[in-house]
Amino acid sequence: MSDEEITNPEPLTDGPGLCRPDGVLSYGTVARFFVPLALQAMSQSLTYPILAMIAARGSGGTLELAAYAQSSNLLFMLFNLSMGIVTTGLVYAKTRAGFRTFLRVNHIILGLVTVCHATLCLPVISGRIFRSILGLPPTIADPAARAFLYVLPVSILFILRNPYQVTLFNANRSDKAFAATVVRIVTAGVLAFTFSRLKMGGVFYAAVTQVCATGVEVLLSRQLALRYIRAQRRTEDTGTRASLGELLRFSFIFSLGGFFITLSAALIGAFIARAPEPDTMLPVYYVTSGLVGPLTYGATQIAAVVINFHGGRSRNRRLLAFACAAGLALSAVPLLFLTPWLFHGYYVVLQKFGADSYGRIRDITLILAFAPFINAVRSYVYGTAAYLKKPTAVLAGQSIFLGAALTTAFVLLNLGVPGHILGASSRIFATIISGLVIRASLSWDTRKSMPQVPEKAI
């Protein structure tokens, strides 16, 4: 992004208005912002089934699917080092000076993530991660290490996309951000169809698909955002300017929380690998998580809704009610895939699982179906903490998530619980505990910041 393009990046908001004529925040307004945002988030995650379909057509079959899933977990663990920058942009990048500082933070994180990813690709390090730390059998660990090298450009592209996505969100144009993601999904689908017809499968072609599709999304996001970046060139900055250090601290804390969650996902995989029948349980766990994951990620976009529309008590109650309704709707979707026709079409035909895997997939789905609802409610609390600029409350909850997930997985492993049930149960329990801790920390922090009444005045 050139200096000319960021002369004044304060967004031109031409999205839906905030309130009804009577001044009340309408559910329709919230839905018009949230639905494209959630669809974008789900579509981003829904790239995984397309990539999994290509990976599963390699010489290793579903073992390559599990390998690509493990490499993706490590990729997104690194990507989470930059996840906080989007929240930072929603809070701070609404003025020219704020956006310039935001860009500097984004560039710093881009360099950090690129160096980390390249270092982890070294054979001696990647081998130790996938074989020793994660405990994967060689049939999964070796292709996982190769896949992680192939997706290095994806780390760079994801971070380059941040300024354009933040600009569109702050302009209340989540629909345009979603449009760019739709093009990415279509690109991935076309490449997947082409590779399938040419009988080209495995982790390499899955990575090629992901890199090309993400590159197309970045270019289109830039094109859609430039209007809003240029439109406010003559607007003067007002208010207090946040420093680079403040934005770095804010972004780092929110990113670290996301890092803990992604790290827990990878470590849960290590517990499943140590449970009985890892070659069977890991593919079942990852293919089901690949379906529920996009819905859960969509539910987490409630946080952006809260940051954009946070207001008085009445408005916040409406936002909480909307979060609950959206979470319930998303939680109903995985259950539909247990019906015979959808099960056969998705799990058997597309993902190449046998019909005898129905029982295991049913059991894990009945647990993971709670994830979108729980995450929607948790994201309401998360967004409130971000709006109030209380990142330490979020960090407390995210840190507890990691501890709760690993403790639960350890206990269930020693109780002999099957690996796929172990993984799903650990995630659900940890999410609940995390949300409660964020809420408690936020309440405690708010009480501490309230002015105290002198004893003599009582």
Side-chain angles (χ1 to χ4, degrees), residues 63 115 158 199 243 254 284 330 359 386 394 397 411:
L63 295 178
V115 170
F158 275 151
K199 301 187 183 303
S243 66
F254 274 85
V284 167
L330 292 171
V394 173
V411 171

Side-chain angles (χ1 to χ4, degrees), residues 204-281:
F204 174 76
Y205 292 104
V208 169
T209 299
Q210 189 174 13
V211 171
C212 293
T214 306
V216 169
E217 182 188 24
V218 172
L219 293 175
L220 183 55
S221 295
R222 178 183 182 277
Q223 188 63 34
L224 293 172
L226 284 182
R227 170 193 170 190
Y228 304 99
I229 292 173
R230 292 168 173 164
Q232 301 296 329
R233 227 172 249 185
R234 291 183 297 274
T235 302
E236 297 295 330
D237 285 322
T238 58
T240 304
R241 298 185 181 185
S243 66
L244 176 64
E246 181 179 346
L247 265 70
L248 276 171
R249 286 192 297 272
F250 190 91
S251 178
F252 175 74
I253 290 177
F254 274 85
S255 296
L256 188 60
F259 177 83
F260 284 153
I261 289 181
T262 308
L263 175 61
S264 68
L267 295 178
I268 286 173
F271 278 98
I272 299 174
R274 287 168 170 79
E277 301 181 81
D279 286 353
T280 300
M281 296 305 181

Side-chain angles (χ1 to χ4, degrees), residues 86-101:
V86 175
T87 303
T88 301
L90 292 173
V91 175
Y92 288 99
K94 297 180 183 295
T95 64
R96 177 174 55 193
F99 193 82
R100 283 183 178 274
T101 307

Side-chain angles (χ1 to χ4, degrees), residues 62-83:
T62 56
L63 295 178
E64 292 209 39
L65 182 156
Y68 201 82
Q70 283 286 8
S71 71
S72 296
N73 279 339
L74 189 56
L75 168 67
F76 284 105
M77 184 172 66
L78 282 176
F79 176 60
N80 269 289
L81 292 174
S82 72
M83 281 295 287

